[in-house]
Amino acid sequence: MYAVPTDKLTPGKILAEEVRDINGRLLLAKGNKIGDRHIRIFKIWGVFEVNVEGPAQGGDNPDPELKPEIFEQVRDNAKGLFRHSDLEQPVIKKIFGLAVQFRCKHNLIGMDSEVDNDVPAIDPGDRKNNFIKRLDKKKIVLPEIPSVVFELNEVIANPLSCADHIAQVVNKSPSLTALLLRIVNSSFYGFPSKIDKVSHAVTLIGTREISGLALGISILSVFKNIPEEMIDMYSFLRHSLACGILSRILAAQKNFSMTEQLFVSGLLHDLGRLILYLHFSEESRHILSRSRKNKKLLHKEEKTYLGCDHAQLGQHLMKQWKLPLILENNVLYHHKPSEAQQPIPAAIVHLADILVNSLGIGSSGEELVPSLDMAAWENLELPLSSLDTIIGQATHQFNSLESILQP
Ligand SMILES: [Fe+2]
Ligand SMILES: [Fe+2]
């Protein structure tokens, strides 16, 4: 079995896995011969790629039109990105193969970043201090999230809330209203006519899903003023949104009822990095530069120099903002999910983050692929073959939602 992008699909191939549209409706069952009509239907319904039977053509080069030297270059670069992973592990091998395919398809060839050699040294006396205590001692005013976000959080948490309650809260904030309408009018939902009322949007999409997305994006937008030379915020948001989408898809795969919580967890998993970039720019610059120069994982460098990493900082912030405990769990343990009180949802965000880093969709500052926690992977009990479909679905959803990130 191998994945073929819908625009490269030719008639006569046998479908190896059923194809469904975005609402879960079956478009073609597995085992059917694909005809011209089916290809047309896949394109109309925005199916990004399908799995067909047989060995992949052209060796492991997914695109016969691609120049072999480009493919080799992408593969060599990807090996560097996976330097903290064991490429002999079947799951890593699979993720690596998917990453190379994706990067070839999306022209993500060069991956070397510029290293700033002229970075200020950190006073060794500062190393390994408890950074969270330092954060508190300095009485740094953490960015406030608008009170409407708290209210929204409460309304979402209340099982008795209806669409009108949510609409009332959202309507208090013009920026949140605009964001919500942009989400519902994006090609992701594909409604034929323009939706211009929040209550209508909430009824159509479902309260939890739309509110979770609005909540996550509003929190991240608090940090929009981080200087560009520190982090490309658009790239950070792409990384976050892709991780949210993948977390939600993985949660659905595991039959998790609260897929929205996983979506918001994925969206906010690297929130702690924004605190670092915003309030500790000198240290951040040093840590970023060190990890790039020495090819070390960024979260490990954070731990070495600050005594804590962005996952702990993110949790600290979420506690202050009184966000649900499950979000704290998922954010705190997204780099070590086996240690979490609730290991499965933490493992979902962990895997989603690794997949997004592998594919190279945006970046939160990390340029390498973090190591996969093998116990967490086994805990998820996902068949290796499901990763093709999961990435295909996530790419499709990401492409149709990405427009909401535009300033
Ligand atoms: Fe992270
Ligand atoms: Fe991340």
Side-chain angles (χ1 to χ4, degrees), residues 78-261:
K79 276 185 189 159
L81 299 177
F82 278 76
R83 65 180 64 241
H84 295 282
S85 309
D86 176 7
L87 283 172
E88 292 305 310
Q89 280 276 1
V91 56
I92 301 290
K93 208 173 184 171
K94 176 76 187 174
I95 296 174
F96 178 81
L98 290 168
V100 172
Q101 275 187 35
F102 186 90
R103 284 169 181 268
C104 284
K105 214 181 292 172
H106 294 85
N107 243 350
L108 299 170
I109 298 164
M111 285 158 242
D112 289 335
S113 63
E114 280 175 34
V115 173
D116 179 7
N117 286 311
D118 190 25
V119 285
I122 288 184
D123 181 348
D126 278 351
R127 293 180 190 183
K128 297 195 177 175
N129 276 352
N130 186 325
F131 194 71
I132 290 180
K133 272 194 191 142
R134 207 173 127 202
L135 189 80
D136 288 341
K137 209 162 79 192
K138 271 192 165 182
K139 296 238 176 331
I140 287 169
V141 183
L142 294 169
E144 287 298 324
I145 52 172
S147 60
V148 65
V149 174
F150 284 113
E151 269 184 69
L152 188 58
N153 188 30
E154 271 168 35
V155 179
I156 302 167
N158 182 352
L160 298 175
S161 300
C162 64
D164 275 349
H165 289 144
I166 299 206
Q168 275 168 23
V169 174
V170 172
N171 278 326
K172 288 182 189 172
S173 158
S175 57
L176 197 57
T177 303
L179 173 68
L180 207 74
L181 292 175
R182 237 157 95 187
I183 295 168
V184 76
N185 285 304
S186 73
S187 61
F188 178 69
Y189 293 107
F191 291 118
S193 54
K194 199 167 162 51
I195 292 142
D196 52 12
K197 271 207 189 109
V198 171
S199 55
H200 190 194
V202 176
T203 317
L204 282 172
I205 305 296
T207 50
R208 263 149 257 286
E209 178 170 354
I210 204 156
S211 312
L213 186 52
L215 173 75
I217 302 264
S218 343
I219 289 180
L220 291 177
S221 68
V222 168
F223 296 90
K224 61 179 179 288
N225 294 328
I226 292 181
E228 255 175 64
E229 67 274 11
M230 185 61 71
I231 179 81
D232 173 350
M233 200 52 198
Y234 183 59
S235 183
F236 189 99
L237 288 174
R238 292 182 86 234
H239 173 81
S240 307
L241 180 64
C243 191
I245 289 172
L246 265 162
S247 300
R248 178 170 57 192
I249 293 173
L250 289 165
Q253 190 90 9
K254 294 300 303 167
N255 287 328
F256 240 72
S257 55
M258 304 292 268
T259 53
E260 264 341 280
Q261 286 182 340

Side-chain angles (χ1 to χ4, degrees), residues 84-85 92 297 299-300 334-335 337 350 354 369-374:
H84 295 282
S85 309
I92 301 290
L297 288 170
H299 72 97
K300 295 210 166 146
H334 76 270
H335 287 295
H350 172 70
I354 286 175
V369 176
S371 318
L372 180 70
D373 178 332
M374 285 313 292

Side-chain angles (χ1 to χ4, degrees), residues 239 269-271 273 299 302 310-311 331 334-335 353 357 364 366 370:
H239 173 81
H269 75 288
D270 280 334
L271 180 70
R273 281 217 168 114
H299 72 97
E302 289 165 359
H310 66 283
V331 168
H334 76 270
H335 287 295
D353 181 48
N357 277 293
S364 70
E366 178 62 271

